[in-house]
Amino acid sequence: MTDATLVPPLPRLMVEPIVRSALLEDLGRAGDLTTDSIVPAEARFSGAIVARQSGIVAGTLTALLAFELLDPAIRVRVLRPDGSPIAPGEAVIALDGPARAILSAERVALNLLCRLSGVATATASLVEAARPHGKARIVCTRKTTPGLRSLEKHAVRAGGGANHRFGLDDAVLIKDNHVAVAGGVGPAIRRARAGVGHLVKIEVEVDTLAQLDEALAVGADAVLLDNMTPDTLRRAVAMIDGRAVSEASGRISRETVGAVASSGVDLISTGWITHSAPIVDLGLDVA
């Protein structure tokens, strides 16, 4: 469970182009043939988007924009802001206005809201499972839906997690293939240090304690401890001894995250919360 007041909203300027593109994809060249042929132009609709299952809300701005972009006359009230826990039957967003526009925007609004709430809910499940076992924060990766990264990373924050880098230009993350091409952990870090500015952090992925020792010797800012057992992770954290940020990754699940957190790592990163999180089921009901 997260405190919704602590989840800053995404800027409307950033979200609107994503929602607009989704509406254009759905409406196509001729608009909503079904609704426009059945629903009178003067018809009104009053209702709400309601939870069918428990979860954590994220993406309310995307739903709000889906309706408002089709018709500014639609009145939209967010009842449960991003980061709020919801239970079955609980209303998340209330709607009132022209029926045609509401029905035409319904699917885009629900697609985004259900998807992002799923990411927030998956994140919250790992946060809760890890909390009793240590200080580790749950962080996401770049394994996001193309075009939706900013939204999905916002949803991770709504679920109580934190963000890793947003793109390749945020920081240096030296992976195993970089190490192989560079000829080792040390050479890779030294080349990165020489090639980027003084404010850029450098993280390196290591698979063994020997590689970790090499990374620490040349001053890595952070180390990604990849697919290590909890026992090896504890040994790695002891070796690091506060000299770098420690991040564990690899096959993280609700069942394994507690043991990983108990090793004492600073961060636990997982792609599952963004690339494979199930949606939260929400639906539009008539009042």
mmCIF file of all heavy atoms in Angstrom, residues 125-172:
data_model
loop_
_atom_site.group_PDB
_atom_site.id
_atom_site.type_symbol
_atom_site.label_atom_id
_atom_site.label_comp_id
_atom_site.label_asym_id
_atom_site.label_seq_id
_atom_site.Cartn_x
_atom_site.Cartn_y
_atom_site.Cartn_z
ATOM 1 N N SER A 125 3.202 -5.568 -4.737
ATOM 2 C CA SER A 125 3.295 -6.925 -4.188
ATOM 3 C C SER A 125 4.737 -7.277 -3.838
ATOM 4 O O SER A 125 4.996 -7.940 -2.829
ATOM 5 C CB SER A 125 2.725 -7.939 -5.184
ATOM 6 O OG SER A 125 3.587 -8.134 -6.295
ATOM 7 N N LEU A 126 5.697 -6.825 -4.659
ATOM 8 C CA LEU A 126 7.108 -7.082 -4.356
ATOM 9 C C LEU A 126 7.592 -6.203 -3.207
ATOM 10 O O LEU A 126 8.373 -6.650 -2.356
ATOM 11 C CB LEU A 126 7.970 -6.840 -5.596
ATOM 12 C CG LEU A 126 7.854 -7.853 -6.730
ATOM 13 C CD1 LEU A 126 8.896 -7.552 -7.806
ATOM 14 C CD2 LEU A 126 8.015 -9.278 -6.246
ATOM 15 N N VAL A 127 7.141 -4.958 -3.186
ATOM 16 C CA VAL A 127 7.525 -4.054 -2.096
ATOM 17 C C VAL A 127 7.085 -4.631 -0.756
ATOM 18 O O VAL A 127 7.859 -4.651 0.215
ATOM 19 C CB VAL A 127 6.909 -2.655 -2.316
ATOM 20 C CG1 VAL A 127 7.088 -1.778 -1.079
ATOM 21 C CG2 VAL A 127 7.543 -1.975 -3.529
ATOM 22 N N GLU A 128 5.863 -5.106 -0.692
ATOM 23 C CA GLU A 128 5.343 -5.663 0.556
ATOM 24 C C GLU A 128 6.075 -6.940 0.944
ATOM 25 O O GLU A 128 6.344 -7.181 2.127
ATOM 26 C CB GLU A 128 3.843 -5.940 0.411
ATOM 27 C CG GLU A 128 2.981 -4.696 0.295
ATOM 28 C CD GLU A 128 3.064 -3.802 1.525
ATOM 29 O OE1 GLU A 128 3.103 -4.341 2.654
ATOM 30 O OE2 GLU A 128 3.105 -2.571 1.357
ATOM 31 N N ALA A 129 6.408 -7.770 -0.044
ATOM 32 C CA ALA A 129 7.095 -9.026 0.251
ATOM 33 C C ALA A 129 8.530 -8.793 0.710
ATOM 34 O O ALA A 129 9.069 -9.546 1.521
ATOM 35 C CB ALA A 129 7.084 -9.930 -0.982
ATOM 36 N N ALA A 130 9.167 -7.733 0.213
ATOM 37 C CA ALA A 130 10.563 -7.463 0.562
ATOM 38 C C ALA A 130 10.711 -6.694 1.864
ATOM 39 O O ALA A 130 11.719 -6.836 2.569
ATOM 40 C CB ALA A 130 11.229 -6.671 -0.563
ATOM 41 N N ARG A 131 9.710 -5.899 2.225
ATOM 42 C CA ARG A 131 9.834 -4.954 3.346
ATOM 43 C C ARG A 131 10.293 -5.580 4.659
ATOM 44 O O ARG A 131 11.164 -5.012 5.330
ATOM 45 C CB ARG A 131 8.501 -4.214 3.539
ATOM 46 C CG ARG A 131 8.545 -3.190 4.676
ATOM 47 C CD ARG A 131 7.280 -2.362 4.742
ATOM 48 N NE ARG A 131 7.196 -1.437 3.622
ATOM 49 C CZ ARG A 131 6.165 -1.344 2.806
ATOM 50 N NH1 ARG A 131 5.135 -2.154 2.953
ATOM 51 N NH2 ARG A 131 6.158 -0.455 1.823
ATOM 52 N N PRO A 132 9.786 -6.741 5.074
ATOM 53 C CA PRO A 132 10.208 -7.276 6.382
ATOM 54 C C PRO A 132 11.637 -7.803 6.403
ATOM 55 O O PRO A 132 12.144 -8.128 7.482
ATOM 56 C CB PRO A 132 9.213 -8.433 6.621
ATOM 57 C CG PRO A 132 8.106 -8.239 5.655
ATOM 58 C CD PRO A 132 8.719 -7.570 4.477
ATOM 59 N N HIS A 133 12.289 -7.876 5.250
ATOM 60 C CA HIS A 133 13.561 -8.592 5.171
ATOM 61 C C HIS A 133 14.798 -7.701 4.987
ATOM 62 O O HIS A 133 15.915 -8.224 4.941
ATOM 63 C CB HIS A 133 13.505 -9.602 4.029
ATOM 64 C CG HIS A 133 12.397 -10.600 4.176
ATOM 65 N ND1 HIS A 133 12.474 -11.676 5.029
ATOM 66 C CD2 HIS A 133 11.164 -10.644 3.604
ATOM 67 C CE1 HIS A 133 11.351 -12.365 4.958
ATOM 68 N NE2 HIS A 133 10.538 -11.762 4.115
ATOM 69 N N GLY A 134 14.600 -6.406 4.867
ATOM 70 C CA GLY A 134 15.770 -5.555 4.691
ATOM 71 C C GLY A 134 15.412 -4.191 4.156
ATOM 72 O O GLY A 134 14.242 -3.813 4.068
ATOM 73 N N LYS A 135 16.422 -3.455 3.745
ATOM 74 C CA LYS A 135 16.255 -2.067 3.311
ATOM 75 C C LYS A 135 16.054 -1.918 1.812
ATOM 76 O O LYS A 135 15.844 -0.804 1.311
ATOM 77 C CB LYS A 135 17.499 -1.275 3.700
ATOM 78 C CG LYS A 135 18.765 -1.796 2.996
ATOM 79 C CD LYS A 135 20.013 -1.038 3.385
ATOM 80 C CE LYS A 135 21.248 -1.604 2.666
ATOM 81 N NZ LYS A 135 22.480 -0.896 2.999
ATOM 82 N N ALA A 136 16.136 -3.019 1.058
ATOM 83 C CA ALA A 136 16.174 -2.930 -0.401
ATOM 84 C C ALA A 136 14.933 -2.260 -0.978
ATOM 85 O O ALA A 136 13.807 -2.529 -0.563
ATOM 86 C CB ALA A 136 16.337 -4.325 -1.000
ATOM 87 N N ARG A 137 15.159 -1.419 -1.961
ATOM 88 C CA ARG A 137 14.067 -0.809 -2.718
ATOM 89 C C ARG A 137 13.864 -1.600 -4.004
ATOM 90 O O ARG A 137 14.821 -2.070 -4.626
ATOM 91 C CB ARG A 137 14.381 0.649 -3.061
ATOM 92 C CG ARG A 137 14.648 1.530 -1.847
ATOM 93 C CD ARG A 137 14.814 2.982 -2.270
ATOM 94 N NE ARG A 137 13.531 3.569 -2.663
ATOM 95 C CZ ARG A 137 13.401 4.785 -3.211
ATOM 96 N NH1 ARG A 137 14.480 5.520 -3.445
ATOM 97 N NH2 ARG A 137 12.222 5.250 -3.537
ATOM 98 N N ILE A 138 12.605 -1.723 -4.421
ATOM 99 C CA ILE A 138 12.275 -2.393 -5.672
ATOM 100 C C ILE A 138 12.362 -1.365 -6.800
ATOM 101 O O ILE A 138 11.724 -0.304 -6.731
ATOM 102 C CB ILE A 138 10.858 -2.998 -5.623
ATOM 103 C CG1 ILE A 138 10.731 -3.978 -4.454
ATOM 104 C CG2 ILE A 138 10.528 -3.667 -6.949
ATOM 105 C CD1 ILE A 138 11.670 -5.157 -4.508
ATOM 106 N N VAL A 139 13.141 -1.683 -7.827
ATOM 107 C CA VAL A 139 13.298 -0.755 -8.955
ATOM 108 C C VAL A 139 12.971 -1.465 -10.261
ATOM 109 O O VAL A 139 13.125 -2.681 -10.391
ATOM 110 C CB VAL A 139 14.709 -0.137 -9.008
ATOM 111 C CG1 VAL A 139 15.008 0.659 -7.753
ATOM 112 C CG2 VAL A 139 15.772 -1.200 -9.223
ATOM 113 N N CYS A 140 12.535 -0.672 -11.233
ATOM 114 C CA CYS A 140 12.182 -1.214 -12.543
ATOM 115 C C CYS A 140 13.389 -1.183 -13.480
ATOM 116 O O CYS A 140 14.490 -0.797 -13.084
ATOM 117 C CB CYS A 140 11.032 -0.415 -13.143
ATOM 118 S SG CYS A 140 11.339 1.365 -13.211
ATOM 119 N N THR A 141 13.168 -1.593 -14.723
ATOM 120 C CA THR A 141 14.243 -1.636 -15.720
ATOM 121 C C THR A 141 13.763 -0.940 -16.992
ATOM 122 O O THR A 141 12.715 -0.292 -16.998
ATOM 123 C CB THR A 141 14.615 -3.098 -16.044
ATOM 124 O OG1 THR A 141 13.538 -3.704 -16.780
ATOM 125 C CG2 THR A 141 14.885 -3.899 -14.770
ATOM 126 N N ARG A 142 14.510 -1.125 -18.080
ATOM 127 C CA ARG A 142 14.094 -0.601 -19.382
ATOM 128 C C ARG A 142 13.227 -1.602 -20.143
ATOM 129 O O ARG A 142 12.913 -1.382 -21.314
ATOM 130 C CB ARG A 142 15.319 -0.242 -20.225
ATOM 131 C CG ARG A 142 16.021 1.028 -19.768
ATOM 132 C CD ARG A 142 17.374 1.240 -20.453
ATOM 133 N NE ARG A 142 17.359 0.981 -21.863
ATOM 134 C CZ ARG A 142 18.058 0.004 -22.467
ATOM 135 N NH1 ARG A 142 18.816 -0.823 -21.758
ATOM 136 N NH2 ARG A 142 17.994 -0.146 -23.762
ATOM 137 N N LYS A 143 12.809 -2.676 -19.501
ATOM 138 C CA LYS A 143 11.946 -3.671 -20.153
ATOM 139 C C LYS A 143 10.495 -3.203 -20.056
ATOM 140 O O LYS A 143 9.684 -3.728 -19.304
ATOM 141 C CB LYS A 143 12.134 -5.038 -19.503
ATOM 142 C CG LYS A 143 13.538 -5.600 -19.702
ATOM 143 C CD LYS A 143 13.716 -6.931 -18.990
ATOM 144 C CE LYS A 143 15.140 -7.449 -19.163
ATOM 145 N NZ LYS A 143 15.368 -8.719 -18.425
ATOM 146 N N THR A 144 10.203 -2.191 -20.856
ATOM 147 C CA THR A 144 8.900 -1.537 -20.824
ATOM 148 C C THR A 144 8.226 -1.638 -22.192
ATOM 149 O O THR A 144 8.870 -1.954 -23.192
ATOM 150 C CB THR A 144 9.048 -0.053 -20.444
ATOM 151 O OG1 THR A 144 9.978 0.567 -21.352
ATOM 152 C CG2 THR A 144 9.567 0.106 -19.027
ATOM 153 N N THR A 145 6.938 -1.340 -22.235
ATOM 154 C CA THR A 145 6.206 -1.326 -23.498
ATOM 155 C C THR A 145 6.659 -0.128 -24.323
ATOM 156 O O THR A 145 6.614 1.004 -23.831
ATOM 157 C CB THR A 145 4.691 -1.221 -23.232
ATOM 158 O OG1 THR A 145 4.304 -2.252 -22.314
ATOM 159 C CG2 THR A 145 3.908 -1.347 -24.527
ATOM 160 N N PRO A 146 7.103 -0.337 -25.571
ATOM 161 C CA PRO A 146 7.541 0.806 -26.394
ATOM 162 C C PRO A 146 6.470 1.891 -26.452
ATOM 163 O O PRO A 146 5.302 1.630 -26.706
ATOM 164 C CB PRO A 146 7.770 0.165 -27.777
ATOM 165 C CG PRO A 146 8.154 -1.245 -27.470
ATOM 166 C CD PRO A 146 7.302 -1.631 -26.278
ATOM 167 N N GLY A 147 6.892 3.106 -26.184
ATOM 168 C CA GLY A 147 5.978 4.242 -26.198
ATOM 169 C C GLY A 147 5.318 4.535 -24.868
ATOM 170 O O GLY A 147 4.751 5.611 -24.679
ATOM 171 N N LEU A 148 5.379 3.582 -23.935
ATOM 172 C CA LEU A 148 4.696 3.765 -22.650
ATOM 173 C C LEU A 148 5.671 3.843 -21.473
ATOM 174 O O LEU A 148 5.258 3.756 -20.323
ATOM 175 C CB LEU A 148 3.706 2.619 -22.394
ATOM 176 C CG LEU A 148 2.553 2.464 -23.370
ATOM 177 C CD1 LEU A 148 1.612 1.351 -22.896
ATOM 178 C CD2 LEU A 148 1.779 3.765 -23.545
ATOM 179 N N ARG A 149 6.955 3.991 -21.739
ATOM 180 C CA ARG A 149 7.933 3.914 -20.654
ATOM 181 C C ARG A 149 7.673 4.933 -19.546
ATOM 182 O O ARG A 149 7.700 4.590 -18.366
ATOM 183 C CB ARG A 149 9.361 4.076 -21.192
ATOM 184 C CG ARG A 149 10.417 3.997 -20.092
ATOM 185 C CD ARG A 149 11.817 3.906 -20.653
ATOM 186 N NE ARG A 149 11.996 2.650 -21.379
ATOM 187 C CZ ARG A 149 13.072 2.370 -22.126
ATOM 188 N NH1 ARG A 149 14.028 3.263 -22.256
ATOM 189 N NH2 ARG A 149 13.166 1.209 -22.740
ATOM 190 N N SER A 150 7.431 6.174 -19.901
ATOM 191 C CA SER A 150 7.236 7.189 -18.859
ATOM 192 C C SER A 150 6.012 6.855 -18.010
ATOM 193 O O SER A 150 6.012 7.055 -16.792
ATOM 194 C CB SER A 150 7.092 8.581 -19.474
ATOM 195 O OG SER A 150 5.962 8.642 -20.340
ATOM 196 N N LEU A 151 4.959 6.324 -18.640
ATOM 197 C CA LEU A 151 3.752 5.968 -17.907
ATOM 198 C C LEU A 151 3.996 4.769 -17.002
ATOM 199 O O LEU A 151 3.555 4.743 -15.847
ATOM 200 C CB LEU A 151 2.612 5.659 -18.879
ATOM 201 C CG LEU A 151 2.178 6.780 -19.828
ATOM 202 C CD1 LEU A 151 1.009 6.307 -20.682
ATOM 203 C CD2 LEU A 151 1.795 8.039 -19.066
ATOM 204 N N GLU A 152 4.680 3.754 -17.514
ATOM 205 C CA GLU A 152 4.915 2.556 -16.719
ATOM 206 C C GLU A 152 5.874 2.833 -15.561
ATOM 207 O O GLU A 152 5.721 2.275 -14.470
ATOM 208 C CB GLU A 152 5.424 1.431 -17.614
ATOM 209 C CG GLU A 152 4.338 0.930 -18.553
ATOM 210 C CD GLU A 152 4.774 -0.135 -19.525
ATOM 211 O OE1 GLU A 152 5.993 -0.411 -19.620
ATOM 212 O OE2 GLU A 152 3.905 -0.700 -20.221
ATOM 213 N N LYS A 153 6.851 3.691 -15.779
ATOM 214 C CA LYS A 153 7.752 4.032 -14.682
ATOM 215 C C LYS A 153 7.025 4.872 -13.624
ATOM 216 O O LYS A 153 7.311 4.756 -12.425
ATOM 217 C CB LYS A 153 9.003 4.735 -15.217
ATOM 218 C CG LYS A 153 9.976 3.745 -15.862
ATOM 219 C CD LYS A 153 11.279 4.402 -16.270
ATOM 220 C CE LYS A 153 12.280 3.356 -16.760
ATOM 221 N NZ LYS A 153 12.907 2.618 -15.655
ATOM 222 N N HIS A 154 6.094 5.687 -14.049
ATOM 223 C CA HIS A 154 5.243 6.396 -13.082
ATOM 224 C C HIS A 154 4.420 5.387 -12.276
ATOM 225 O O HIS A 154 4.264 5.524 -11.051
ATOM 226 C CB HIS A 154 4.314 7.363 -13.809
ATOM 227 C CG HIS A 154 3.204 7.892 -12.964
ATOM 228 N ND1 HIS A 154 3.380 8.889 -12.032
ATOM 229 C CD2 HIS A 154 1.888 7.526 -12.883
ATOM 230 C CE1 HIS A 154 2.231 9.135 -11.419
ATOM 231 N NE2 HIS A 154 1.314 8.326 -11.914
ATOM 232 N N ALA A 155 3.894 4.370 -12.952
ATOM 233 C CA ALA A 155 3.094 3.352 -12.271
ATOM 234 C C ALA A 155 3.929 2.588 -11.247
ATOM 235 O O ALA A 155 3.424 2.211 -10.181
ATOM 236 C CB ALA A 155 2.491 2.393 -13.294
ATOM 237 N N VAL A 156 5.199 2.354 -11.549
ATOM 238 C CA VAL A 156 6.096 1.711 -10.578
ATOM 239 C C VAL A 156 6.188 2.564 -9.316
ATOM 240 O O VAL A 156 6.110 2.054 -8.186
ATOM 241 C CB VAL A 156 7.490 1.493 -11.191
ATOM 242 C CG1 VAL A 156 8.516 1.135 -10.111
ATOM 243 C CG2 VAL A 156 7.439 0.389 -12.249
ATOM 244 N N ARG A 157 6.321 3.862 -9.481
ATOM 245 C CA ARG A 157 6.376 4.752 -8.314
ATOM 246 C C ARG A 157 5.052 4.740 -7.554
ATOM 247 O O ARG A 157 5.032 4.788 -6.322
ATOM 248 C CB ARG A 157 6.738 6.174 -8.745
ATOM 249 C CG ARG A 157 8.126 6.291 -9.377
ATOM 250 C CD ARG A 157 8.593 7.743 -9.485
ATOM 251 N NE ARG A 157 7.741 8.571 -10.314
ATOM 252 C CZ ARG A 157 7.822 8.673 -11.629
ATOM 253 N NH1 ARG A 157 8.728 7.953 -12.288
ATOM 254 N NH2 ARG A 157 7.028 9.477 -12.310
ATOM 255 N N ALA A 158 3.950 4.678 -8.288
ATOM 256 C CA ALA A 158 2.642 4.618 -7.632
ATOM 257 C C ALA A 158 2.497 3.355 -6.796
ATOM 258 O O ALA A 158 1.760 3.336 -5.805
ATOM 259 C CB ALA A 158 1.529 4.689 -8.678
ATOM 260 N N GLY A 159 3.206 2.290 -7.187
ATOM 261 C CA GLY A 159 3.171 1.044 -6.442
ATOM 262 C C GLY A 159 4.184 0.973 -5.318
ATOM 263 O O GLY A 159 4.316 -0.075 -4.667
ATOM 264 N N GLY A 160 4.897 2.061 -5.074
ATOM 265 C CA GLY A 160 5.858 2.093 -3.982
ATOM 266 C C GLY A 160 7.274 1.756 -4.381
ATOM 267 O O GLY A 160 8.166 1.689 -3.532
ATOM 268 N N GLY A 161 7.516 1.522 -5.676
ATOM 269 C CA GLY A 161 8.864 1.238 -6.156
ATOM 270 C C GLY A 161 9.594 2.497 -6.565
ATOM 271 O O GLY A 161 9.118 3.621 -6.371
ATOM 272 N N ALA A 162 10.765 2.310 -7.151
ATOM 273 C CA ALA A 162 11.587 3.419 -7.618
ATOM 274 C C ALA A 162 12.056 3.111 -9.040
ATOM 275 O O ALA A 162 11.958 1.972 -9.506
ATOM 276 C CB ALA A 162 12.786 3.637 -6.695
ATOM 277 N N ASN A 163 12.545 4.131 -9.699
ATOM 278 C CA ASN A 163 12.956 3.979 -11.090
ATOM 279 C C ASN A 163 14.453 3.792 -11.252
ATOM 280 O O ASN A 163 15.247 4.457 -10.578
ATOM 281 C CB ASN A 163 12.535 5.201 -11.908
ATOM 282 C CG ASN A 163 11.032 5.393 -11.985
ATOM 283 O OD1 ASN A 163 10.553 6.503 -12.057
ATOM 284 N ND2 ASN A 163 10.278 4.300 -11.974
ATOM 285 N N HIS A 164 14.815 2.881 -12.138
ATOM 286 C CA HIS A 164 16.181 2.761 -12.637
ATOM 287 C C HIS A 164 16.304 3.821 -13.731
ATOM 288 O O HIS A 164 15.443 4.710 -13.850
ATOM 289 C CB HIS A 164 16.387 1.339 -13.173
ATOM 290 C CG HIS A 164 17.788 0.816 -13.012
ATOM 291 N ND1 HIS A 164 18.832 1.303 -13.753
ATOM 292 C CD2 HIS A 164 18.294 -0.134 -12.205
ATOM 293 C CE1 HIS A 164 19.940 0.655 -13.414
ATOM 294 N NE2 HIS A 164 19.641 -0.225 -12.466
ATOM 295 N N ARG A 165 17.316 3.748 -14.549
ATOM 296 C CA ARG A 165 17.458 4.755 -15.603
ATOM 297 C C ARG A 165 16.275 4.705 -16.576
ATOM 298 O O ARG A 165 15.677 3.657 -16.805
ATOM 299 C CB ARG A 165 18.778 4.559 -16.349
ATOM 300 C CG ARG A 165 18.949 3.188 -16.976
ATOM 301 C CD ARG A 165 20.287 3.061 -17.688
ATOM 302 N NE ARG A 165 20.398 1.725 -18.291
ATOM 303 C CZ ARG A 165 21.264 1.417 -19.246
ATOM 304 N NH1 ARG A 165 22.098 2.317 -19.692
ATOM 305 N NH2 ARG A 165 21.298 0.183 -19.730
ATOM 306 N N PHE A 166 15.930 5.861 -17.146
ATOM 307 C CA PHE A 166 14.827 5.961 -18.093
ATOM 308 C C PHE A 166 15.255 5.561 -19.499
ATOM 309 O O PHE A 166 14.432 5.147 -20.310
ATOM 310 C CB PHE A 166 14.270 7.389 -18.114
ATOM 311 C CG PHE A 166 13.174 7.615 -17.128
ATOM 312 C CD1 PHE A 166 13.425 7.593 -15.760
ATOM 313 C CD2 PHE A 166 11.870 7.835 -17.553
ATOM 314 C CE1 PHE A 166 12.408 7.799 -14.843
ATOM 315 C CE2 PHE A 166 10.849 8.045 -16.639
ATOM 316 C CZ PHE A 166 11.113 8.026 -15.280
ATOM 317 N N GLY A 167 16.527 5.730 -19.811
ATOM 318 C CA GLY A 167 17.007 5.405 -21.151
ATOM 319 C C GLY A 167 18.511 5.226 -21.149
ATOM 320 O O GLY A 167 19.164 5.257 -20.103
ATOM 321 N N LEU A 168 19.040 5.050 -22.321
ATOM 322 C CA LEU A 168 20.475 4.812 -22.456
ATOM 323 C C LEU A 168 21.313 6.045 -22.144
ATOM 324 O O LEU A 168 22.526 5.930 -21.943
ATOM 325 C CB LEU A 168 20.779 4.340 -23.883
ATOM 326 C CG LEU A 168 20.180 2.980 -24.270
ATOM 327 C CD1 LEU A 168 20.392 2.710 -25.762
ATOM 328 C CD2 LEU A 168 20.791 1.868 -23.439
ATOM 329 N N ASP A 169 20.665 7.217 -22.099
ATOM 330 C CA ASP A 169 21.407 8.457 -21.885
ATOM 331 C C ASP A 169 21.399 8.928 -20.439
ATOM 332 O O ASP A 169 21.935 9.986 -20.124
ATOM 333 C CB ASP A 169 20.839 9.567 -22.776
ATOM 334 C CG ASP A 169 19.362 9.830 -22.523
ATOM 335 O OD1 ASP A 169 18.708 8.989 -21.869
ATOM 336 O OD2 ASP A 169 18.859 10.872 -22.980
ATOM 337 N N ASP A 170 20.797 8.149 -19.529
ATOM 338 C CA ASP A 170 20.731 8.552 -18.125
ATOM 339 C C ASP A 170 22.038 8.310 -17.381
ATOM 340 O O ASP A 170 22.457 9.111 -16.548
ATOM 341 C CB ASP A 170 19.657 7.740 -17.379
ATOM 342 C CG ASP A 170 18.257 8.212 -17.688
ATOM 343 O OD1 ASP A 170 18.093 8.970 -18.651
ATOM 344 O OD2 ASP A 170 17.334 7.818 -16.968
ATOM 345 N N ALA A 171 22.602 7.146 -17.608
ATOM 346 C CA ALA A 171 23.772 6.712 -16.855
ATOM 347 C C ALA A 171 24.454 5.601 -17.645
ATOM 348 O O ALA A 171 23.912 5.108 -18.640
ATOM 349 C CB ALA A 171 23.367 6.199 -15.474
ATOM 350 N N VAL A 172 25.632 5.206 -17.186
ATOM 351 C CA VAL A 172 26.343 4.088 -17.806
ATOM 352 C C VAL A 172 25.993 2.807 -17.045
ATOM 353 O O VAL A 172 26.137 2.754 -15.823
ATOM 354 C CB VAL A 172 27.869 4.318 -17.775
ATOM 355 C CG1 VAL A 172 28.612 3.067 -18.242
ATOM 356 C CG2 VAL A 172 28.238 5.512 -18.640
#
